[in-house]
Amino acid sequence: MPPLVTSDMTLEQVQEFFKSDKFATHIGCVVTAAGKGHAVTELELRPEHRNGMGGVMGGCIFTLADFALAVGCNVDEEPTMSVSNTIEYLAGAKGSKLIATCNVDRSGRTLGYYTVDVTDDLGTKVARMVATCFRRA
């Protein structure tokens, strides 16, 4: 099966394709960069992203990282999905926006390995996700 998302697509075309990721887009995640093995997604923080103690919900951070992973592992690749993810929460977000940056560590025929770093707009390192992804060969 050919790639559904290609590096010759405009950012607007990539954003339109990933609007079908309903949960991520519902909470406000936006694709801001996309290329083979690389993606950046952002989330403007709102009160509903916070937990009872005022911090950003871990699930919200994970969703943003997972959205960046979805974009980064699918550009110019066979349809790809994660099969294993581990996330380390490093610090509470201090800024008003989260930024998730996905980069490929190794991309094989059926498996890909990726790291997603999540920071806030002040440069605080908030989380790091590592993921193994499977692609239909």
Side-chain angles (χ1 to χ4, degrees):
M1 172 180 263
L4 300 173
V5 182
T6 61
S7 55
D8 63 347
M9 294 170 73
T10 66
L11 179 58
E12 292 77 19
Q13 289 172 315
V14 173
Q15 290 169 334
E16 185 63 31
F17 179 86
F18 281 98
K19 279 185 182 176
S20 62
D21 284 20
K22 300 291 187 197
F23 183 72
T25 56
H26 173 74
I27 69 165
C29 299
V30 177
V31 179
T32 58
K36 184 176 174 95
H38 175 77
V40 179
T41 58
E42 297 183 0
L43 175 66
E44 293 286 339
L45 295 173
R46 301 184 308 247
E48 60 266 26
H49 297 131
R50 306 246 173 218
N51 61 28
M53 298 179 67
V56 179
M57 284 290 290
C60 183
I61 297 165
F62 184 92
T63 297
L64 180 66
D66 191 50
F67 191 49
L69 175 66
V71 178
C73 72
N74 275 289
V75 175
D76 289 335
E77 296 287 2
E78 299 288 326
T80 304
M81 68 225 60
S82 63
V83 293
S84 176
N85 306 56
T86 303
I87 192 164
E88 305 269 338
Y89 297 100
L90 306 173
K94 307 290 187 238
S96 61
K97 178 181 6 179
L98 292 178
I99 302 128
T101 304
C102 174
N103 286 297
V104 65
D105 297 313
R106 182 180 183 287
S107 182
R109 187 174 62 80
T110 57
L111 293 177
Y113 303 90
Y114 297 82
T115 300
V116 182
D117 290 304
V118 181
T119 62
D120 65 17
D121 54 333
L122 302 176
T124 306
K125 293 179 182 180
V126 175
R128 171 169 283 167
M129 172 194 278
V130 293
T132 301
C133 298
F134 172 77
R135 61 182 51 97
R136 300 176 202 160

